[in-house]
Amino acid sequence: MRTPQGTTGVSASGGTVELVGRRGADWTRIATASRPLAEAIAELDTPDQPTAHADPAYERSVASSSPSAPRFEVGQQILWRYGRVIETARVVRDDDRGLVAWTPSGSARLDAVPSDGRRPREVPLQERFLVPWSAVERTWTGPGILRVAPTGMPWSVWFFRREDGTPDGVYINIELPHRRIGGEEAAVFTRDLVLDLWIDAEHRGEEDIWLKDEDELLAAVDQGRFSPRQAEAVRVLADHAGADLIMAAAWPLDAGWEEWTPDEHADLPLVLPATPSMAAARARSGVRSSQG
């Protein structure tokens, strides 16, 4: 007996989820109306991006879809930057389709957490985007993760695995299309847009698809992170991911990345670079968690 569509619950990370579809069927729209992808992206790619990243490198970055965008070398360490949250990753592949990168278990990351010591999920929804925050260095826990950023798309695709290495599902993180910078500052820049999709690993070809954190998106509107129109644009992006990526089984979902495993060298944990910009990022803090 399959779980009925519309079932709600709580994810392992503490976010609310709703079963919104199954692969092999038509996508049921989340947003109140459909809009072109580029129009929804423009609604969200606001002029405050340099302030959110607070790094001069962002000003020199270029869109990943630009012919002048730098390419990364296989094995190169890069930073995957979500404003004040900075992840480490090692490049697996980088070509016209997009970037594939591996974050080994135990790799360093810079997180933004409530200044009072609580974890973000421990902050009630009604104040989640209002509390003071500070930057804290942590490590990636659990099995390593393979992330794929299709060029120019407002999402990245995260292939999760269990402790025994078998696939555990696919996470579609809704985020702004990437910008890049090469050289010693090698990084991709994006912004997390709260809403996510999760594809279960079971029932191959007919996997359950869950919408994650709709309640947090509503809280982001109430607390000034997004306007109502921007929140609707986020839902539009999720609809495009659902229809054009998941239901269409588009790249990278058609490439077998869920079975990829790193070699011994690629699986060595990564550290954050000892650079002036990283020192500045470690020192960051703010009075409202909706900023940055």
Side-chain angles (χ1 to χ4, degrees):
M1 183 74 175
R2 299 292 297 272
T3 304
Q5 190 163 326
T7 297
T8 59
V10 178
S11 71
S13 63
T16 60
V17 293
E18 179 185 356
L19 181 59
V20 294
R22 286 196 176 94
R23 295 186 73 180
D26 292 333
W27 179 255
T28 301
R29 193 173 65 221
I30 298 166
T32 56
S34 59
R35 292 168 63 186
L37 186 65
E39 183 181 306
I41 292 172
E43 188 80 43
L44 293 156
D45 196 2
T46 53
D48 67 340
Q49 303 310 322
T51 302
H53 290 285
D55 189 329
Y58 179 83
E59 303 280 7
R60 301 191 300 276
S61 67
V62 298
S64 64
S65 56
S66 170
S68 62
R71 291 274 181 247
F72 303 127
E73 298 294 327
V74 173
Q76 181 179 1
Q77 179 176 339
I78 64 169
L79 298 177
W80 194 298
R81 305 185 62 151
Y82 289 101
R84 62 198 181 192
V85 176
I86 303 176
E87 310 272 6
T88 49
R90 182 174 283 120
V91 176
V92 174
R93 183 179 297 177
D94 189 25
D95 55 30
D96 290 344
R97 292 170 300 176
L99 171 66
V100 183
W102 171 252
T103 297
S105 179
S107 293
R109 60 192 301 268
L110 196 66
D111 204 357
V113 300
S115 298
D116 60 11
R118 288 178 293 179
R119 293 184 175 274
R121 291 285 183 188
E122 294 173 342
V123 179
L125 270 177
Q126 60 268 26
E127 58 177 292
R128 188 161 297 171
F129 295 92
L130 301 176
V131 297
W133 64 273
S134 302
V136 175
E137 184 169 339
R138 291 180 168 171
T139 57
W140 182 268
T141 59
I145 186 169
L146 189 75
R147 281 186 267 206
V148 183
T151 300
M153 292 295 120
W155 52 72
S156 60
V157 183
W158 303 15
F159 293 90
F160 278 80
R161 61 192 65 203
R162 302 182 178 96
E163 292 288 350
D164 64 1
T166 57
D168 193 32
V170 182
Y171 188 82
I172 313 298
N173 198 69
I174 308 300
E175 60 195 50
L176 288 179
H178 285 196
R179 298 182 64 85
R180 293 178 170 215
I181 190 167
E184 295 182 355
E185 300 170 300
V188 293
F189 295 89
T190 182
R191 294 286 300 283
D192 182 78
L193 299 175
V194 180
L195 212 58
D196 309 295
L197 296 166
W198 171 261
I199 309 170
D200 280 345
E202 289 73 29
H203 307 289
R204 191 172 183 85
E206 298 181 349
E207 296 96 328
D208 289 342
I209 304 166
W210 298 82
L211 176 69
K212 186 172 181 291
D213 292 336
E214 169 65 24
D215 60 340
E216 191 167 6
L217 183 61
L218 293 172
V221 173
D222 290 341
Q223 295 162 45
R225 170 68 175 86
F226 294 122
S227 69
R229 184 173 175 82
Q230 286 175 321
E232 188 65 3
V234 174
R235 297 184 188 98
V236 169
L237 299 187
D239 279 333
H240 281 278
D244 304 338
L245 171 68
I246 299 174
M247 295 308 189
W251 191 85
L253 297 179
D254 62 347
W257 285 111
E258 67 277 7
E259 303 293 343
W260 180 89
T261 56
D263 61 27
E264 185 176 350
H265 173 75
D267 205 29
L268 294 174
L270 298 164
V271 299
L272 291 165
T275 60
S277 65
M278 188 56 58
R282 284 188 173 97
R284 289 187 70 188
S285 61
V287 296
R288 287 169 61 99
S289 48
S290 61
Q291 301 164 341

